[in-house]
Amino acid sequence: MTTYDLALIGFGGVNRTLAEIIHNRGEELRSELGFGLRVVAITDLRLGSLVKPEGIDLHMALNLGQGASFADHGGSEDTNNESVIRTCTADIICEATFTNPEDGEPAASHVRWALESGKSVCTTNKGPVALRGPELAGLAQENGVRFEFEGAVMSGTPVIRLAKQMFTGLALDGFEGILNGTSNYVLGRMEAGLDLEAAIREAQELGYAEANPSADIEGHDVQLKVLILANELLGADITLDDVTREGISSVSPADIAKASAEGRRWKLVGSATKHSDGTVSASVKPMALPLDHGLAGISGATNAVSFSTDLLGPVTVSGPGAGRVETAYALLSDIISMHAAKKVATHV
Ligand code: HSE
């Protein structure tokens, strides 16, 4: 039976949860999915790096104490990302470092090094996909490997793959969605009476918020996701500056109370529209939606996106948009998709 060797780049909530899934459910997955998973390298800003071609003891890696380093277990205090990614024996690089909305780095380089060295990549990182997507997809093609990024939008809810694979034969001319769990959660909590800061703190504790929650609150996170969906699914060729952006910090408790009294609810809506001349316009903005609008009832960290199609009319996908387990599942789903396509270059 095939075993895929993985390198986990970044060992925060998402890749740590993927390691837990492999550690706790590896055998079950092997019989269910028909392939095994083994972690042969981990790098992390805090822990350093560890490379073991024979497989890393995940129990050890998952139970390192405060202040511990991989240097105490035969590794290094340095991340050594480039050399680990280029030279380790992994078949697949799972990239889950922080999203940099400016230029996608250093994650974009992690992806590039992996693809250049003939390794497939799955990532939950919006930066490389939104800002360098076409270049990295081209590199994957040149090297005969895969570049998968289901978790970049709506965590493990399979919106990208669903639309790419199951909407064939349909023309998509736009979408609108709730694409940020934190801001949706925060708006709901503000409706229940909390102030903005307290609601953000709760979202951070629940693991929804970005390292810098202003990315969630000010709409930067949704801007990246709208860009990804527009370019990947509508065939747009737009850049970040083409997606106009306004966050929810301008929505006051008084605005929320007024909307409530009028039978409306504030939502941060990301949308894109394909025009008859083929151009695409896209935006992120808070909107007070009437309660019978399809997105008004989407609550908590749940996300939803409604695609406008020619033959089916609107098709809406709703599901988790954030969370460690939900996002780790996206990586697993990317690996399953690679296996199905039988395009992973195995090194074992
Ligand atoms: N911080 C994001 C959200 C999760 O709250 O939706 C990952 O994109």
Side-chain angles (χ1 to χ4, degrees):
M1 186 182 285
T2 306
T3 293
Y4 296 117
D5 282 351
L6 310 181
L8 309 183
I9 307 304
F11 202 52
V14 173
N15 264 341
R16 185 174 281 271
T17 305
L18 180 64
E20 279 169 8
I21 293 170
I22 295 168
H23 183 56
N24 299 335
R25 293 187 48 203
E27 278 313 306
E28 199 182 316
L29 290 173
R30 182 184 280 271
S31 61
E32 194 178 320
L33 302 173
F35 61 84
L37 295 170
R38 179 169 68 172
V39 177
V40 296
I42 304 176
T43 72
D44 182 73
L45 274 176
R46 198 170 47 87
L47 297 169
S49 54
L50 183 62
V51 178
K52 299 244 181 217
E54 69 281 14
I56 289 173
D57 173 359
L58 292 179
H59 180 77
M60 174 280 294
L62 288 165
N63 289 286
L64 287 177
Q66 194 76 20
S69 156
F70 286 138
D72 308 327
H73 297 270
S76 160
E77 280 185 358
D78 299 320
T79 55
N80 297 318
N81 274 322
E82 182 164 7
S83 68
V84 170
I85 291 171
R86 286 193 189 276
T87 63
C88 76
T89 53
D91 308 302
I92 302 168
I93 302 290
C94 303
E95 210 289 341
T97 63
F98 66 96
T99 289
N100 174 348
E102 304 292 322
D103 60 6
E105 293 292 358
S109 290
H110 300 160
V111 175
R112 181 169 56 79
W113 297 329
L115 299 174
E116 282 173 353
S117 54
K119 297 173 175 91
S120 289
V121 174
C122 51
T123 185
T124 57
N125 197 314
K126 295 167 284 278
V129 184
L131 305 173
R132 306 270 292 278
E135 170 201 332
L136 295 171
L139 202 53
Q141 199 159 17
E142 271 170 38
N143 287 281
V145 291
R146 306 274 297 188
F147 175 44
E148 297 287 334
F149 42 83
E150 186 61 63
V153 180
M154 284 178 68
S155 67
T157 305
V159 64
I160 297 175
R161 203 168 287 121
L162 176 91
K164 276 188 177 171
Q165 294 179 358
M166 307 306 285
F167 288 0
T168 45
L170 294 173
L172 297 187
D173 60 17
F175 63 84
E176 62 175 358
I178 292 175
L179 295 167
N180 182 267
T182 300
S183 57
N184 203 48
Y185 179 86
V186 164
L187 285 170
R189 297 299 285 148
M190 286 177 73
E191 212 177 310
L194 257 67
D195 65 26
L196 180 69
E197 284 70 30
I200 291 173
R201 266 200 307 280
E202 280 191 5
Q204 280 177 309
E205 281 160 20
L206 289 163
Y208 304 147
E210 296 295 295
N212 176 358
S214 74
D216 299 298
I217 300 305
E218 299 303 346
H220 297 282
D221 176 72
V222 181
Q223 193 182 25
L224 291 171
K225 290 167 177 169
V226 166
L227 180 60
I228 293 170
L229 294 182
N231 284 343
E232 288 293 322
L233 304 180
L234 299 185
D237 183 19
I238 58 175
T239 64
L240 200 60
D241 289 342
D242 297 318
V243 184
T244 61
R245 176 189 55 80
E246 186 188 337
I248 61 165
S249 60
S250 57
V251 180
S252 68
D255 293 328
I256 289 177
K258 181 166 181 284
S260 236
E262 291 170 352
R264 291 176 175 268
R265 181 171 285 147
W266 284 96
K267 293 290 176 191
L268 183 61
V269 178
S271 64
T273 305
K274 192 169 185 171
H275 304 289
S276 50
D277 64 359
T279 59
V280 170
S281 54
S283 69
V284 180
K285 60 180 178 210
M287 297 172 76
L289 302 177
L291 292 183
D292 61 1
H293 187 286
L295 297 178
I298 303 297
S299 61
T302 303
N303 284 190
V305 61
S306 186
F307 292 101
S308 164
T309 77
D310 58 345
L311 301 181
L312 293 177
V315 177
T316 304
V317 184
S318 169
R324 298 181 185 96
V325 176
E326 295 83 346
T327 311
Y329 170 71
L331 293 175
L332 184 60
S333 79
D334 284 342
I335 296 168
I336 293 167
S337 162
M338 291 179 194
H339 178 73
K342 302 208 184 326
K343 277 195 178 168
V344 187
T346 53
H347 295 80
V348 287

